[in-house]
Amino acid sequence: MRRALTDARHCSADPLCAERLPQDPADFLHGAACQVCLFVSEATCERGNRFLDRRFLVPLTGDQDPVLTPIGLLP
């Protein structure tokens, strides 16, 4: 679990991926997530890669907001 969280802190598309914020109306389904770090084949993802955002699990560059991962699991 710790290794997965450590890996989630970095994406080869950063900083573009990490700084991405959802925009209403058409592009509100994901934030800091892309084909490189979190998306899987849409045929295998029952949610169609919607509602993904790394910043809910791990702090990204410059983020001061709390994350949902328990402190003991953070890398």
Side-chain angles (χ1 to χ4, degrees):
M1 187 61 132
R2 285 189 181 107
R3 180 162 182 199
L5 291 170
T6 298
D7 291 348
R9 294 180 84 151
H10 303 286
C11 172
S12 61
D14 283 340
L16 186 64
C17 179
E19 293 174 354
R20 187 175 184 290
L21 294 173
Q23 299 294 316
D24 195 27
D27 187 30
F28 63 93
L29 296 179
H30 59 274
C34 71
Q35 304 284 6
V36 176
C37 62
L38 291 184
F39 286 6
V40 295
S41 168
E42 295 220 4
T44 61
C45 180
E46 75 177 31
R47 299 284 181 201
N49 292 316
R50 293 181 302 233
F51 310 111
L52 298 175
D53 196 333
R54 293 184 292 146
R55 71 177 52 87
F56 287 122
L57 297 175
V58 293
L60 300 179
T61 307
D63 284 347
Q64 298 300 319
D65 295 328
V67 295
L68 299 177
T69 304
I71 296 294
L73 286 178
L74 285 176

